[in-house]
């Protein structure tokens, strides 16, 4: 009776030599060597690993298992930065760079996290650098949205907080806000063409909904020149949103409104003002795009870990697990992305059901009618990791 590793592009002998370098846990090394399938894992953050800035019970220990450390080790610490099982952190959150988020996660969860392992809601905005690199774009949301966009390569980014000061009267409620400053009423400034906003990027959850919806309606329907219009109905300025989730789990017991709720409010008001419905592109889960970014990151991790004989070979995963807490984003997104993705729900966030299996209606590939997809439900991320390792383990032959 024996075991073998069926991992495309990765030979057991080669892997074992590298794995022993990265881990002091022989018990876990034995488990990894018995994996039947080439697997990867994507973890949602809010509601799965963290609630606010507080780690959810068992989250750190679950992640340490993927680095080959755990209760069986002498010090319980990971001795190297590379994981034994490829995994990434896939979240609709943002407002910081991937590098900053990696540093925060490493500190809170006590595990090594690299910038390449972090896929934020706005990570796909990298795709638009070539188009808007030298044009003026408006960034919206909490955090340092300008720093985020400049890190991607955008050269002319103006955040909403700065932009509103170019139009002293654009927000009539500004004098009543906490950071009010007195300005004399005047007409919109005569701005040169280079001040035109070419595109709007909602990078993270907006803080001041009233102001931001008002200003965005002005920008989007004026051709990028609020208060001016060369034609009665100029084309709408392109709008990109980092996520479209209606709600998410934060520190408060009840889920909070997400960027999708903001988009609904903006859309409702914009459609009353403009001659055409709001046009927008939304990323984040359940859009397939962040899953493509995640899969590419997992492939790179696998290649670094196993060094296939052919460096140009493409890793083909048997399964990539999406561990999340929100059926409408995490589960639906994994199903939208298709093979090799498989969703798993936890009960520590948005989803609170008591069922062991979550059934989500949908249309199967090539099918015309509604179908039911069954997603395993686990109490915690720790239980989810245990389920993944057990399911992927090879049976004796």
């Amino acid at each position: 009776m024996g075991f073998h590793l069926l991992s495309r592009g990765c030979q057991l002998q080669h892997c074992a030599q590298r794995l022993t370098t990265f881990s002091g846990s022989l018990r876990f090394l034995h488990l990894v060597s018995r994996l039947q399938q080439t697997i990867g894992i994507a973890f949602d953050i809010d509601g799965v690993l963290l609630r606010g800035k507080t780690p959810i019970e068992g989250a750190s220990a679950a992640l340490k298992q993927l680095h080959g450390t755990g209760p069986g080790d002498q010090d319980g610490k990971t001795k190297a930065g590379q994981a034994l099982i490829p995994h990434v952190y896939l979240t609709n959150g943002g407002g910081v760079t991937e590098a900053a988020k990696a540093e925060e996660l490493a500190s809170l969860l006590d595990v090594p996290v690299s910038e390449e392992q972090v896929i934020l809601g706005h990570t796909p905005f990298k795709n638009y650098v070539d188009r808007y690199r030298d044009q003026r774009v408006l960034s919206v949301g909490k955090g340092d949205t300008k720093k985020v966009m400049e890190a991607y390569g955008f050269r002319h980014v103006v955040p909403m907080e700065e932009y509103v000061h170019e139009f002293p009267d654009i927000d009539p409620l500004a004098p009543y806000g906490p950071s009010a400053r007195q300005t004399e009423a005047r007409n919109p400034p005569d701005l040169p063409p280079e001040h035109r906003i070419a595109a709007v990027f909602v990078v993270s959850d907006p803080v001041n909904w009233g102001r931001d919806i008002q200003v965005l309606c002005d920008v989007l329907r004026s051709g990028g020149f609020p208060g001016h219009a060369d034609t009665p109905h100029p084309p709408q300025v392109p709008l990109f949103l980092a996520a479209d989730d209606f709600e998410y789990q934060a520190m408060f017991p009840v889920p909070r409104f997400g960027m999708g709720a903001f988009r609904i409010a903006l859309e409702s008001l914009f459609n009353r003002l403009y001659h055409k419905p709001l046009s927008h592109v939304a990323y984040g889960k359940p859009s397939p795009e962040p899953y493509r970014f995640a899969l590419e990151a997992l492939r790179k991790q696998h290649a670094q870990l196993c060094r296939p004989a052919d460096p140009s070979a493409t890793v083909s995963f048997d399964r990539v697990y999406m561990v999340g807490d929100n059926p409408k984003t995490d589960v639906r997104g994994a199903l939208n992305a298709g093979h090799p993705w498989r969703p798993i729900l936890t009960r520590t966030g948005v989803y609170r059901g008591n069922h062991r299996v979550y059934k989500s209606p949908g249309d199967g590939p090539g099918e015309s009618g509604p179908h039911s997809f069954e997603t395993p439900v686990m109490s915690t991320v720790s239980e989810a990791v245990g389920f993944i390792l057990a399911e992927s383990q090879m049976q004796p032959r």
Side-chain angles (χ1 to χ4, degrees):
M1 185 177 295
F3 298 91
H4 64 286
L5 182 68
L6 300 178
S7 177
R8 296 181 182 90
C10 178
Q11 310 253 339
L12 174 58
Q13 181 179 4
H14 205 86
C15 280
Q17 182 178 1
R18 291 177 62 80
L19 290 174
T20 52
T21 303
F22 296 129
S23 173
S25 175
L26 296 178
R27 173 180 53 81
F28 187 79
L29 174 59
H30 176 64
L31 185 151
V32 172
S33 70
R34 296 170 59 206
L35 289 181
Q36 178 185 4
Q37 300 175 322
T38 304
I39 66 169
I41 308 174
F43 294 98
D44 184 28
I45 297 176
D46 297 314
V48 173
L49 300 174
L50 300 174
R51 185 169 286 116
K53 301 294 184 182
T54 304
I56 291 174
E57 184 177 359
S60 179
L63 294 173
K64 287 178 180 180
Q65 289 188 70
L66 305 182
H67 291 265
T69 61
D73 299 314
Q74 291 183 351
D75 58 5
K77 294 288 185 177
T78 303
K79 295 178 174 60
Q82 195 162 19
L84 303 183
I85 294 180
H87 61 282
V88 296
Y89 302 88
L90 179 57
T91 176
N92 282 355
V96 297
T97 64
E98 287 78 3
K101 191 65 176 181
E103 184 177 350
E104 177 188 67
L105 290 174
S107 175
L108 293 174
L109 296 168
D110 191 30
V111 292
V113 181
S114 69
E115 176 181 356
E116 292 74 21
Q117 286 180 282
V118 177
I119 295 90
L120 302 174
H122 47 68
T123 299
F125 286 174
K126 295 176 181 179
N127 293 337
Y128 295 97
V129 173
D130 289 343
R131 186 186 306 181
Y132 296 110
R133 185 191 310 274
D134 295 314
Q135 299 185 65
R136 200 170 193 235
V137 299
L138 177 63
S139 63
V140 184
K142 67 181 181 182
D144 194 341
T145 59
K146 181 177 181 179
K147 183 176 181 179
V148 169
M149 297 295 284
E150 288 180 341
Y152 293 153
F154 295 88
R155 294 174 178 169
H156 302 286
V157 183
V158 54
M160 178 66 80
E161 288 68 25
E162 296 178 11
Y163 187 70
V164 293
H165 294 313
E166 296 180 9
F167 303 87
D169 307 305
I170 198 169
D171 178 13
L173 300 180
Y176 305 97
S179 58
R181 68 181 192 180
Q182 296 297 322
T183 57
E184 295 182 2
R186 57 181 181 178
N187 294 324
D190 187 15
L191 298 174
E194 58 266 24
H195 274 67
R196 181 188 298 271
I197 295 297
V200 174
F201 291 87
V202 183
V203 178
S204 53
D205 291 315
V207 176
N208 189 337
W209 280 33
R211 179 199 67 183
D212 293 355
I213 289 175
Q214 175 71 77
V215 176
L216 288 181
C217 284
D218 291 335
V219 172
L220 295 173
R221 65 193 177 106
S222 67
F225 272 137
H228 300 278
D230 298 332
T231 63
H233 298 294
Q236 184 204 304
V237 172
L239 171 65
F240 305 96
L241 298 101
D244 202 33
D245 47 340
F246 181 73
E247 59 185 4
Y248 68 99
Q249 184 63 56
M251 286 294 291
F252 197 70
V254 178
R256 304 287 84 190
F257 287 142
M259 197 179 298
F262 174 82
R263 190 263 307 163
I264 291 171
L266 170 63
E267 191 170 37
S268 176
L269 293 172
F270 181 87
N271 290 349
R272 286 176 172 264
L273 298 170
Y274 199 59
H275 67 289
K276 291 182 179 180
L278 179 69
S279 174
H280 69 279
V281 177
Y283 291 103
K285 300 168 291 184
S287 165
E289 188 67 13
Y291 290 84
R292 287 193 282 269
F293 272 82
L295 194 56
E296 181 60 26
L298 290 168
R299 286 182 177 136
K300 290 179 180 178
Q301 283 186 60
H302 187 278
Q304 292 171 358
L305 177 62
C306 296
R307 292 190 185 278
D310 180 6
S312 63
T314 301
V315 176
S316 179
F317 285 95
D318 295 291
R319 281 187 178 176
V320 175
Y321 295 88
M322 177 68 238
V323 182
D325 69 302
N326 192 330
K328 294 182 180 179
T329 56
D330 302 311
V331 172
R332 177 50 52 189
L335 296 176
N336 288 345
H339 180 78
W341 289 92
R342 183 184 183 190
I344 295 178
L345 269 177
T346 67
R347 296 192 185 93
T348 49
V350 172
Y351 183 75
R352 302 293 177 89
N354 294 321
H355 302 289
R356 293 297 296 177
V357 173
Y358 172 80
K359 294 184 178 181
S360 53
D363 293 330
E367 303 288 345
S368 58
H371 295 264
S372 180
F373 299 95
E374 294 189 350
T375 298
V377 179
M378 307 291 155
S379 296
T380 64
V381 67
S382 180
E383 184 180 343
V385 169
F387 172 84
I388 291 169
L389 296 179
E391 184 176 70
S392 304
Q393 211 171 319
M394 182 183 177
Q395 298 300 318
R397 62 174 175 83

